[in-house]
Structures are given as C-alpha cells and as structure tokens.
Amino acid sequence: MARIRINNARLSFPSLFKKASFDGKEGKYEVSLLFPKTDTKTYETIIAAIEEAKKDSKVKAGSDKYFIKDGDNIDYDGYEGMWVVKASNMKRPIVINKDKTPITEEDGIVYAGCYVNAIIESWVQNNNYGKRVNANLLGIQFVKDGDAFGDGAKVADVDDFEELDDDFEDL
C-alpha cells in the first residue's frame, strides 16, 4: 500500500460526514478528486503506486480497474481535462481546515466544487467481487473555495431577505 498526497484537487460527490447510500443500503465515506491532466507529477505518483500494488500482489488488473479515470470520458461538468480519483473508506476520514482545525458538516466549509488536499492509500482487491486497485480515503484538508457543483451546495444568504416589521401581512 502506498500513501499518496493529492494537492489542490477539486472535490466532487463528497460524502465526508455521512456514508453515501445507494438503493437504501449504506455505503462508505467517499469522494471524487479532480486534478488537471497538466499535473504530471501527481499522475505519475499515482500510476507508480498502482504498478507497485499490482506487482506486490501479483494481481493483473486492467486499467479500467484502477481508482483513477480520465475525466474526458465522464459526462459531468468540470471533468473535462481532468484526472478523476475515486477514494472511499468505511471509517470516517479526517476533515480539517487550512490551519488543521477539525471541520464539521455544520461548518459548511467543504462542498462539491471546493479545492482540497487529500491523503489516499492504494490497495489491491482480489476477491469474489473482482481484481482491481482501489484507494482508501484517509483525510481531506480544505484549501480554497471554488465554483460549487450542482445546486445542492447553494443556500440562501441573509441578504436575500427583507427585514419585516410587526405590521407585515401576507401578500
């Protein structure tokens, strides 16, 4: 298993405070991490970790069975020109701010579209569910704001409302 740090990645589909659920079944804590294809250093580090994991386990997984995918082949806004890393964990990952203080869901700091640093760890799956190289999500650090993906990350601002007096009547 190799520990990998991905810097300044855009966060997509984050389930960091509650496990994702599918068809009513509880899943894992998980994220997709997007980083530009121009970041060859991170890409090469990930591929080296995958190759090392395959060699150590003698698993001959094909490239479609890796935790990194070409964003050009994924039909979501913001994925074009990016590498996409899918990482998950049954245990809740650490989620911290720039100053290393813990972040909670109620803080509203981490959302789909913000930029984060991430620590992941590669591992090989070789069981009745298949042979592949996966990534455990170990931790996320908020880096900076970005354009939010989808409408789910948006909420009203207090300035969107008018101050009402006691004489207000329904219109």
Side-chain angles (χ1 to χ4, degrees), residues 21-32:
S21 61
F22 302 98
D23 296 328
K25 295 179 185 174
E26 186 178 73
K28 299 178 182 183
Y29 298 97
E30 59 187 29
V31 297
S32 290

Side-chain angles (χ1 to χ4, degrees), residues 72-85:
D72 291 341
N73 298 327
I74 301 172
D75 193 24
Y76 289 126
D77 288 339
Y79 279 52
E80 188 173 328
M82 300 288 193
W83 290 112
V84 181
V85 169

Side-chain angles (χ1 to χ4, degrees), residues 72-146:
D72 291 341
N73 298 327
I74 301 172
D75 193 24
Y76 289 126
D77 288 339
Y79 279 52
E80 188 173 328
M82 300 288 193
W83 290 112
V84 181
V85 169
K86 177 82 170 185
S88 63
N89 202 328
M90 290 303 288
K91 294 181 182 178
R92 188 180 167 289
I94 185 172
V95 183
I96 59 173
N97 212 331
K98 292 184 251 190
D99 63 359
K100 296 185 176 184
T101 56
I103 293 175
T104 66
E105 183 175 22
E106 291 75 25
D107 295 330
I109 295 171
V110 177
Y111 56 91
C114 75
Y115 290 83
V116 298
N117 293 333
I119 305 293
I120 63 171
E121 189 172 63
S122 63
W123 64 280
V124 174
Q125 171 184 316
N126 186 4
N127 57 28
N128 57 329
Y129 295 108
K131 298 177 183 183
R132 59 185 346 112
V133 182
N134 296 319
N136 274 337
L137 174 63
L138 303 179
I140 293 288
Q141 180 182 34
F142 175 80
V143 173
K144 65 181 179 181
D145 287 314

Side-chain angles (χ1 to χ4, degrees), residues 5-25:
R5 181 183 168 118
I6 301 174
N7 291 319
N8 207 30
R10 195 150 179 224
L11 190 61
S12 184
F13 296 104
S15 293
L16 295 167
F17 303 104
K18 295 176 188 156
K19 291 181 179 179
S21 61
F22 302 98
D23 296 328
K25 295 179 185 174

